[in-house]
Amino acid sequence: MMRWMRRGFRRRPHDPERNAAEYVSGELSRRATRWFEAHLLHCEDCWREVLLGRLGRRMAEEAREQASASLRDRVRAAVQFTSEGGPAGPSAPIGP
Amino acid sequence: MGAVDLVYNLSRRLTDRRQDAEDLVQDTFLQAFRAWTDHRRPKRVKPWLATICLNLARSRYRSRARRPSEVPFEEWMVERRSGADPESRAVQEIEREQLYRAIRELPEEQRVAITLVDLSGFSTYKAAEAMGTPRGTVLSRLHRGRRALARLLGDRIEEVSR
């Protein structure tokens, strides 16, 4: 990362929410991550936000669901029906 | 995550009933198909699909989502029949039920940010594009949602273990 970017990160106002959100989402650059991890060692506010953010993210990931095969079939059939000139499709006749 | 799973997860977080979520998935793909055949084609498909789904949910399903949630009897039966031994199934059901309820209790904008980033694997840049908001707003909603979820579930785990 360029030096000015690292300075830019350091110059940011102390914002535990934003920093924790970016860190937990893995969106900080490598250098910014190193800086933030060093900062976490002595900043209770940021550390608490990171712990809550991690836990919340893990919980949210647990709620992931897969669409059923029947739903996939239903979507495929609806799109196919529409493409063949079904009533909801773009090529549907306007009048009787 | 595939496109159907992405739209399904988003729909499940935007509606109370599975049936409504499935209807929303179908409507999203039909609208996307119509736009596609009208030559309104996006550079990136997934954020585009997410935006269509969000807009449809806002316009069509908002009033329905305000009704008290009801689970159809068949859905209730199917969910309880599947799984391993009764004990671990009961634990899983409690945890899952708590998890879904906790997510449903979040404000809609936080729920959507969490669904796009944590469930669907969008970057906050793509989520901002799909939601039509600045990235800073997405980061803030995302973190507040995660924090609320962690606290809600933490409180419930304590209640259960007392």
Side-chain angles (χ1 to χ4, degrees):
Chain A
M1 181 193 257
M2 309 293 277
R3 204 179 155 144
W4 65 269
M5 287 179 85
R6 184 181 60 161
R7 286 205 308 267
F9 184 79
R10 282 184 176 179
R11 266 209 305 269
R12 273 185 195 183
H14 184 235
D15 185 346
E17 273 189 15
R18 186 186 172 109
N19 292 345
E22 287 186 301
Y23 179 68
V24 172
S25 304
E27 290 188 2
L28 289 178
S29 67
R30 221 163 13 173
R31 186 167 285 192
T33 300
R34 276 206 303 272
W35 178 86
F36 187 60
E37 283 172 350
H39 170 77
L40 283 177
L41 295 175
H42 56 82
C43 180
E44 280 300 316
D45 289 345
C46 285
W47 181 237
R48 189 182 57 243
E49 295 305 321
V50 165
L51 288 181
L52 287 170
R54 273 186 186 152
L55 180 59
R57 183 183 167 97
R58 202 178 317 143
M59 296 294 182
E61 284 170 346
E62 288 288 315
R64 191 177 288 144
E65 292 173 272
Q66 270 208 321
S68 63
S70 63
L71 176 61
R72 290 172 202 278
D73 291 344
R74 181 180 153 186
V75 169
R76 200 175 297 124
V79 170
Q80 195 173 347
F81 180 67
T82 303
S83 71
E84 288 167 359
S91 56
I94 295 167
Chain B
M1 180 181 270
V4 179
D5 287 329
L6 159 72
V7 176
Y8 180 62
N9 274 281
L10 194 51
S11 301
R12 284 284 278 157
R13 306 285 95 76
L14 292 165
T15 56
D16 284 339
R17 299 166 70 234
R18 193 184 297 268
Q19 185 58 47
D20 290 339
E22 295 190 348
D23 290 346
L24 181 54
V25 173
Q26 179 175 318
D27 292 347
T28 301
F29 276 91
L30 283 177
Q31 185 149 323
F33 175 74
R34 281 182 215 127
W36 192 272
T37 50
D38 283 348
H39 301 285
R40 285 180 280 137
R41 296 175 187 185
K43 283 181 190 160
R44 285 183 291 207
V45 173
K46 285 184 181 175
W48 178 65
L49 284 171
T51 306
I52 293 174
C53 182
L54 286 171
N55 289 339
L56 275 175
R58 280 179 193 138
S59 62
R60 215 175 294 177
Y61 290 87
R62 183 164 278 171
S63 56
R64 274 200 228 172
R66 288 205 189 106
R67 292 189 321 202
S69 77
E70 43 188 271
V71 179
F73 183 69
E74 305 79 32
E75 194 173 297
W76 188 86
M77 287 300 286
V78 168
E79 285 187 349
R80 268 148 192 79
R81 264 187 224 134
S82 57
D85 61 288
E87 197 178 331
S88 56
R89 213 167 60 213
V91 171
Q92 277 176 359
E93 273 171 17
I94 290 167
E95 287 174 355
R96 257 196 133 54
E97 175 56 29
Q98 284 178 337
L99 188 55
Y100 289 145
R101 199 178 306 156
I103 292 176
R104 269 206 300 273
E105 282 172 20
L106 296 176
E108 186 186 298
E109 62 270 18
Q110 293 178 11
R111 214 181 324 144
V112 170
I114 279 189
T115 304
L116 290 176
V117 177
D118 292 340
L119 271 84
S120 310
F122 277 30
S123 67
T124 52
Y125 295 95
K126 275 193 190 173
E129 189 186 319
M131 293 170 76
T133 49
R135 179 173 172 259
T137 308
V138 173
L139 283 169
S140 165
R141 289 174 179 175
L142 180 64
H143 186 69
R144 285 176 193 176
R146 284 172 178 164
R147 192 170 57 194
L149 204 52
R151 285 187 175 146
L152 277 170
L153 288 164
D155 289 349
R156 290 209 176 119
I157 289 165
E158 267 180 33
E159 277 171 28
V160 170
S161 55
R162 257 182 226 149

